[in-house]
């Protein structure tokens, strides 16, 4: 799925769009027991309640593709005949209305999911989207539809004790000091099936994780039974390892800076063009950057081999997972220095009297812990 397709579905999850008629789910306590079952009509709720439920589910379609939103790919064998795909397909085809199928899914989630002893709420809703035709000038035409896209969203929301306060209870006509249970934004969730090329793709699901570095792989393994994807943090660590192992002593500040700058430039250009397709780079793209830095062909080939070994041959990755475009940081055993990425070209490394130094011009005002200071040379003058 690309960003435009994700955004198109996100717009469905508003009360005026009536994306779903009913909300399903269950409240699970810290002992992994179902405390209550949820099956309610959005039409019978207050506007505030309906908006809250829809907002929680819509959160499953938020974040960055390749970072918070991860493609889950099923094999042909799984789609043809597998317990995990059959369960998801049954949930979809029944519109989530079959209680027995829902309970089977709930139990699979409860048995696998590790929420660190927290209570949580599983929420689900199904939508049938009459896909409007998109004209050549990129306008949606609601009256011209070729397909109805039936899908469902599922999210898992931590439920935490709220702040204790004195509250009024109309039924008792009394005030009581109590702390309620508050539903937090989703920790994880997914969309099934995927909405690729504005059509249903039963070979894919779109998985959401609030924390890109914590994908809840136990949930992915149980519900999708697929190889867990690498988190953004794991991708960055593997990328840095592939570079350092291949370049060794030629992995200089200049090389690291150039790789960072080139990837950051791609991220900025992609954002400016508003291209809905996810930005991605390959081992060949990084190899070209290294060649421009004067790295030998032998070292570049070694990097490509390391890259293919860690990520798979011809794998494309999001540059945003490989670098932090807003940070340029140098770290030694004694100090950490952060520089504005736009000024990284000012950083130099030198060996003076046999000692290694990092040099950064300090022509502007300087502060230490917020205190304005001057150089000793200025004081002497």
């Amino acid at each position: 799925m690309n960003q435009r397709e994700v955004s198109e579905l996100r717009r469905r999850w508003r009360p005026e769009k009536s994306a779903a008629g009913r909300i399903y789910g269950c409240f699970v306590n810290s002992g992994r027991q179902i405390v209550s079952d949820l099956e309610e009509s959005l039409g019978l709720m207050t506007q505030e309640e309906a908006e809250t439920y829809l907002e929680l589910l819509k959160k499953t379609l938020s974040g960055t593709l390749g970072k918070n939103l991860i493609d889950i790919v099923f094999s042909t064998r799984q789609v043809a005949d597998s317990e995990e795909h059959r369960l998801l397909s049954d949930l979809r085809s029944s519109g989530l209305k079959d209680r027995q199928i829902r309970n089977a899914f709930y139990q699979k989630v409860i048995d696998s999911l590790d929420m660190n002893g927290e209570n949580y709420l599983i929420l689900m809703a199904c939508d049938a989207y009459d896909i409007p035709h998109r004209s050549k000038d990129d306008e949606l035409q609601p009256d011209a539809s070729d397909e109805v896209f039936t899908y469902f969203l599922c999210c898992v929301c931590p439920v935490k004790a709220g702040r204790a306060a004195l509250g009024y209870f109309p039924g008792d006509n009394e005030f009581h000091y109590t702390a309620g249970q508050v539903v937090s934004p989703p920790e994880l969730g997914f969309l099934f099936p995927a909405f690729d090329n504005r059509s249903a793709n039963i070979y894919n699901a779109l998985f959401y994780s609030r924390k890109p570095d914590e994908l809840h792989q136990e949930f992915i393994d149980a519900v999708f039974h697929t190889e867990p994807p690498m988190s953004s943090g794991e991708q960055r660590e593997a990328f840095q390892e592939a570079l350092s192992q291949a370049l060794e002593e030629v992995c200089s500040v200049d090389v690291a800076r150039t790789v960072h700058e080139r990837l950051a430039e791609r991220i900025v250009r992609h954002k400016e063009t508003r291209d809905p397709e996810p930005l991605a780079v390959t081992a060949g793209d990084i190899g070209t950057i290294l060649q421009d830095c004067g790295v030998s062909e032998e070292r570049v080939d070694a990097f490509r081999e390391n890259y293919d070994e860690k990520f798979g041959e011809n794998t494309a990755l999001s540059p945003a997972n490989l670098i932090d475009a807003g940070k340029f940081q140098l770290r030694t055993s004694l100090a950490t220095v952060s520089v504005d990425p736009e000024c990284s070209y000012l950083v130099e490394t030198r060996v003076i009297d046999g000692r290694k130094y990092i040099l950064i011009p300090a022509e502007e005002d300087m502060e230490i812990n917020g205190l304005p200071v001057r150089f000793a040379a200025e004081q002497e003058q």
Side-chain angles (χ1 to χ4, degrees):
M1 290 179 65
N2 61 36
Q3 190 58 57
R4 180 178 292 173
E5 290 161 345
V6 172
S7 299
E8 185 173 346
L9 291 187
R10 271 180 60 85
R11 289 191 289 271
R12 297 280 301 163
W13 295 85
R14 296 182 298 204
E16 65 272 19
K17 292 288 185 179
S18 300
R22 302 185 74 81
I23 298 292
Y24 302 92
C26 66
F27 176 42
V28 183
N29 65 18
S30 58
R32 298 193 172 190
Q33 297 172 319
I34 295 179
V35 177
S36 65
D37 190 77
L38 176 68
E39 182 180 347
E40 295 190 28
S41 168
L42 281 168
L44 298 179
M45 297 180 187
T46 65
Q47 182 177 349
E48 291 77 10
E49 285 180 336
E51 288 178 351
T52 300
Y53 277 119
L54 291 176
E55 190 64 33
L56 289 170
L57 286 160
K58 186 171 71 172
K59 196 73 176 174
T60 309
L61 297 173
S62 64
T64 305
L65 285 168
K67 203 165 189 177
N68 305 92
L69 297 170
I70 307 293
D71 278 325
I72 300 294
V73 182
F74 296 101
S75 67
T76 303
R77 181 197 60 76
Q78 285 181 293
V79 175
D81 183 23
S82 70
E83 178 186 342
E84 60 275 3
H85 197 275
R86 187 161 48 250
L87 178 57
L88 295 174
S89 297
D90 288 346
L91 286 167
R92 177 199 182 202
S93 61
S94 68
L96 303 177
K97 295 176 183 178
D98 191 308
R99 181 184 294 273
Q100 186 175 352
I101 297 174
R102 291 201 312 270
N103 287 340
F105 175 77
Y106 295 155
Q107 200 58 53
K108 177 170 283 195
V109 173
I110 293 168
D111 290 343
S112 63
L113 184 60
D114 181 7
M115 291 291 284
N116 297 317
E118 286 188 335
N119 302 332
Y120 60 88
L121 175 66
I122 300 175
L123 279 182
M124 304 174 72
C126 186
D127 176 32
Y129 178 30
D130 197 5
I131 307 171
H133 176 71
R134 189 182 292 277
S135 64
K136 292 182 179 179
D137 58 0
D138 211 31
E139 291 293 326
L140 293 180
Q141 301 174 330
D143 296 334
S145 175
D146 300 324
E147 179 185 350
V148 175
F149 173 55
T150 302
Y151 66 100
F152 69 90
L153 287 179
C154 171
C155 65
V156 178
C157 307
V159 179
K160 302 179 180 179
R163 185 175 179 181
L166 191 64
Y168 177 67
F169 291 76
D172 301 331
N173 197 27
E174 295 176 347
F175 287 89
H176 297 285
Y177 185 76
T178 182
Q181 297 285 310
V182 179
V183 179
S184 302
E187 187 73 17
L188 68 151
F190 68 92
L191 158 78
F192 178 82
F195 187 52
D196 289 335
N197 296 318
R198 305 187 69 239
S199 184
N201 177 8
I202 62 173
Y203 285 82
N204 282 54
L206 188 67
F207 178 76
Y208 165 79
S209 177
R210 185 177 68 85
K211 300 175 183 177
D213 293 342
E214 298 179 19
L215 297 183
H216 284 280
Q217 294 181 353
E218 76 284 357
F219 179 94
I220 294 173
D221 184 57
V223 174
F224 306 115
H225 204 61
T226 60
E227 186 67 28
M230 295 178 71
S231 68
S232 59
E234 290 171 333
Q235 288 182 27
R236 183 174 301 178
E237 185 178 331
F239 173 67
Q240 293 173 343
E241 191 174 291
L243 272 177
S244 63
Q245 288 178 350
L247 303 189
E248 295 181 336
E249 70 276 0
V250 300
C251 190
S252 64
V253 171
D254 289 339
V255 171
R257 176 172 52 226
T258 303
V259 170
H260 186 279
E261 287 177 351
R262 295 281 189 89
L263 294 181
E265 287 170 3
R266 291 190 181 216
I267 294 172
V268 171
R269 284 200 305 269
H270 184 265
K271 187 176 294 185
E272 290 174 346
T273 59
R274 297 186 178 180
D275 186 348
E277 294 298 328
L279 177 63
V281 294
T282 64
D285 296 325
I286 306 297
T288 300
I289 297 174
L290 296 178
Q291 288 173 333
D292 292 344
C293 295
V295 176
S296 69
E297 191 64 36
E298 181 183 358
R299 298 280 190 184
V300 173
D301 289 342
F303 164 74
R304 289 172 177 152
E305 289 178 6
N306 287 350
Y307 181 100
D308 290 345
E309 181 181 337
K310 294 180 183 300
F311 301 110
E313 192 172 353
N314 300 322
T315 298
L317 301 173
S318 169
N321 289 353
L322 306 183
I323 65 165
D324 183 344
K327 182 172 71 173
F328 188 83
Q329 188 180 84
L330 300 93
R331 179 178 298 169
T332 72
S333 59
L334 299 177
T336 299
V337 180
S338 295
V339 182
D340 186 327
E342 294 185 1
C343 299
S344 62
Y345 66 92
L346 295 173
V347 178
E348 298 181 49
T349 56
R350 291 187 188 177
V351 178
I352 303 175
D353 295 333
R355 301 189 68 181
K356 299 174 183 176
Y357 288 89
I358 298 172
L359 303 181
I360 303 173
E363 299 172 355
E364 305 293 333
D365 296 336
M366 185 169 67
E367 296 180 354
I368 295 179
N369 296 331
L371 175 67
V373 296
R374 293 183 177 276
F375 283 91
E378 291 179 314
Q379 294 172 356
E380 291 174 2
Q381 291 174 3

